[in-house]
Amino acid sequence: MKKVIMAFVSMLCLTSCGSLFKYTSYNTSLVSVESPADAKVKYGETKIVTTIGEDGVSRYSYEDDYINIIWYIGSKQLNFVLTNKSDYSIKLPWDDMAYVNENGSTMRVIHSGIKLIDRNAAQAVSVVPKNATLADILIPSNNIYFVSGQYGGWREKYLFPQYSTPEAANASPAIGKTVRVIFPIIIQDIQNEYVFEFSVDSATIK
């Protein structure tokens, strides 16, 4: 468990630490999870839990009989820690996952280990053995772009609009809308689709 927490803290630092510039930070909430159609029969009881750590960061946990997943929405990436509670290995078909932004646009995603330049390339399926945990990230491929010049390179856009003043941030059109993550998992060769829906509650300048 200690290793899982350390991995999760490392992801937070990658996505939220080290910036010398102010940015618009959005507060989100996990409002619903659409699990496979037979969840009440096959997946047992489900629950959503929100926790706020000592760092002030909100994390959202969803759990059923097969998985436990903890989400943290970063400025440019979606971070998660997935634990396989089942008696079988589960597979993550990355190319079937998607991010639906606040405007309703559906985007392909890439995960950790994929170079930004390869944002459109096929991704191998990951396997999570029973009782094992995977810490990873999702980056919408449409948010990846290239900057030319001496100090250029591949970059990621922010998930939500950025502003320079608190007044502008508070008036962001993203506030009050929702985003979704289409997150299929394969159990015993059957693909089961989860849909995690997050509301965009407020924004602040950091």
Side-chain angles (χ1 to χ4, degrees):
M1 186 66 182
K2 185 177 181 181
K3 291 182 179 179
V4 174
I5 295 175
M6 291 178 65
F8 197 70
V9 171
S10 297
M11 288 199 304
L12 296 185
C13 289
L14 286 172
T15 58
S16 62
C17 301
S19 175
L20 299 177
F21 303 96
K22 292 184 179 297
Y23 71 97
T24 306
S25 174
Y26 288 81
N27 299 312
T28 59
S29 301
L30 178 59
V31 293
S32 70
V33 180
E34 181 182 326
S35 52
D38 59 351
K40 291 183 178 179
V41 176
K42 185 177 180 181
Y43 288 74
E45 294 296 325
T46 63
K47 62 180 180 179
I48 298 174
V49 177
T50 300
T51 59
I52 301 177
E54 295 180 358
D55 54 5
V57 175
S58 296
R59 300 169 178 84
Y60 316 106
S61 172
Y62 167 82
E63 184 173 9
D64 59 29
D65 285 353
Y66 276 52
I67 66 169
N68 175 277
I69 186 167
I70 301 171
W71 288 97
Y72 161 68
I73 309 300
S75 58
K76 299 179 180 180
Q77 305 166 347
L78 298 101
N79 309 268
F80 70 89
V81 177
L82 173 70
T83 299
N84 178 6
K85 296 174 55 182
S86 77
D87 294 326
Y88 313 95
S89 292
I90 64 176
K91 298 179 181 179
L92 301 181
W94 302 106
D95 286 345
D96 293 337
M97 295 189 183
Y99 172 71
V100 183
N101 71 9
E102 74 276 13
N103 297 316
S105 297
T106 302
M107 305 179 186
R108 166 188 167 86
V109 296
I110 63 172
H111 70 109
S112 177
I114 304 298
K115 296 180 179 180
L116 298 184
I117 191 174
D118 295 328
R119 65 197 186 283
N120 294 321
Q123 302 171 91
V125 171
S126 292
V127 177
V128 184
K130 66 178 182 178
N131 301 319
T133 296
L134 173 69
D136 214 320
I137 61 174
L138 298 179
I139 305 173
S141 61
N142 288 20
N143 287 0
I144 299 171
Y145 64 100
F146 183 78
V147 175
S148 59
Q150 182 179 358
Y151 301 104
W154 290 96
R155 302 282 189 270
E156 302 169 42
K157 296 179 182 178
Y158 287 93
L159 291 175
F160 304 111
Q162 296 294 296
Y163 303 96
S164 58
T165 65
E167 294 76 15
N170 289 332
S172 171
I175 296 175
K177 295 185 178 180
T178 62
V179 299
R180 288 176 291 158
V181 177
I182 314 301
F183 196 93
I185 64 173
I186 299 173
I187 304 174
Q188 292 184 287
D189 297 324
I190 298 175
Q191 184 157 310
N192 306 270
E193 185 173 278
Y194 289 84
V195 180
F196 297 90
E197 184 173 21
F198 301 87
S199 65
V200 183
D201 302 326
S202 61
T204 57
I205 300 292
K206 291 188 176 182

